Amino acid sequence: MILLAQISDTHFDLTPRNAERVATVLGYLERLPRRPDAVLVTGDLTDSGTLAQYEQARKVLSTDIPMYVLPGNHDDRTNLCLGLLDAPAPEGPINQAVEVGGLTVAMLDSTIPGSGGGALGERTYAWLDRLLDRTPAHAPVLIALHHPPMPMFSTVVDPIRLADPQRLEHLIANDRRILGVLAGHMHAMGTTLFGGRPLVVAPSVASAIGGAWEVRTPGEVPIDYAPDPSVLLHAVDDGRLTTVVRTVPMGGRIAVQPC
């Protein structure tokens, strides 16, 4: 079994609140009897993409579990590379291929600089084609990106989801190696099908955003800062993706049922 942890939308903003929430989640993962093989962070690491926010993220995200990040619409590609990845400023999208125990994770940059919405350009599709061409015929593959490619009944995120997803959907539907798609952006967990495969959207570590059924007045953002942070645990075994959500209590674990 390959075990991946996915956290998303950490929104480091130089305040201690979100940093403490991320540190609590990472502490939970590090103490697991069976630790994840890798942690995926699916975008919006920072709240406004400043170098100072990436410096805060760098300190908090320090762990000996291998960690891989991709940008979200609140991120800045250049500052992400300089402040967190120790890489030169990119000329285009930041796409990464992650190999974990025979599993390939294609980390796709779906951001459009200056826009809240997402898209995958020709450079990213060409990169993904090359990656799939060199991936063994029977090796499992996961796709990860920030913007969900399907409507998720969110009045906040649906208008700024992945644009023109048909090409990606067709690619996934016609490649049996692809087990599923992982996304963030929605500040809530959601699942549906995309290209006949599971689409799993991770909750935010920073806050929760309610669905269309929680909107009281037009334009309201049904945001909730009360819930404890959550992490997704993805088990890949025997050609199957299984996902479990775990809420991590900020007050610590209680192992005995209270009276």
Side-chain angles (χ1 to χ4, degrees):
M1 179 189 72
I2 298 166
L3 184 65
L4 303 176
Q6 181 189 1
I7 62 176
S8 198
D9 297 83
T10 51
H11 286 272
F12 285 98
D13 57 4
L14 302 184
T15 68
R17 178 189 180 274
N18 290 349
E20 290 171 359
R21 292 168 72 87
V22 176
T24 298
V25 171
L26 287 180
Y28 160 75
L29 296 174
E30 290 171 342
R31 291 189 299 272
L32 285 174
R34 171 35 167 118
R35 301 172 90 194
D37 298 297
V39 178
L40 310 179
V41 188
T42 46
D44 281 1
L45 284 86
T46 64
D47 201 50
S48 54
T50 68
L51 271 174
Q53 290 172 352
Y54 288 111
E55 290 169 3
Q56 183 188 37
R58 185 185 189 114
K59 293 177 182 177
V60 177
L61 293 174
S62 177
T63 177
D64 60 355
I65 303 175
M67 180 176 292
Y68 306 94
V69 307
L70 56 78
N73 54 291
H74 280 257
D75 289 309
D76 179 274
R77 288 173 175 169
T78 296
N79 288 343
L80 171 61
C81 285
L82 297 177
L84 191 62
L85 301 182
D86 291 328
E91 297 180 357
I94 306 170
N95 301 311
Q96 300 180 74
V98 176
E99 304 292 336
V100 184
L103 169 72
T104 296
V105 184
M107 306 273 285
L108 306 182
D109 183 349
S110 60
T111 61
I112 304 172
S115 172
L120 299 177
E122 289 298 327
R123 291 178 66 173
T124 293
Y125 277 115
W127 178 90
L128 180 57
D129 287 341
R130 292 192 298 271
L131 174 62
L132 294 174
D133 284 345
R134 68 174 185 263
T135 300
H138 300 290
V141 176
L142 289 175
I143 304 289
L145 72 171
H146 181 65
H147 296 82
M150 292 291 290
M152 300 299 294
F153 297 97
S154 169
T155 58
V156 178
V157 170
D158 283 355
I160 51 172
R161 63 186 176 92
L162 188 75
D164 301 320
Q166 295 83 1
R167 182 173 175 180
L168 181 62
E169 185 171 25
H170 183 265
L171 183 153
I172 291 169
N174 287 279
D175 194 326
R176 295 176 63 86
R177 295 171 297 177
I178 300 176
L179 304 183
V181 181
L182 312 179
H185 194 42
M186 193 170 71
H187 286 234
M189 182 183 177
T191 64
T192 187
L193 292 176
F194 181 66
R197 308 297 197 282
L199 166 63
V200 185
V201 184
S204 165
V205 173
S207 61
I209 296 180
W213 38 84
E214 295 184 49
V215 176
R216 293 178 175 85
T217 58
E220 177 194 7
V221 176
I223 195 164
D224 188 354
Y225 294 99
D228 286 330
S230 295
V231 58
L232 296 186
L233 294 161
H234 304 290
V236 176
D237 189 41
D238 196 24
R240 185 186 303 273
L241 171 67
T242 301
T243 299
V244 176
V245 62
R246 176 65 159 89
T247 298
V248 183
M250 293 296 295
R253 178 182 179 186
I254 301 175
V256 178
Q257 182 175 351
C259 297

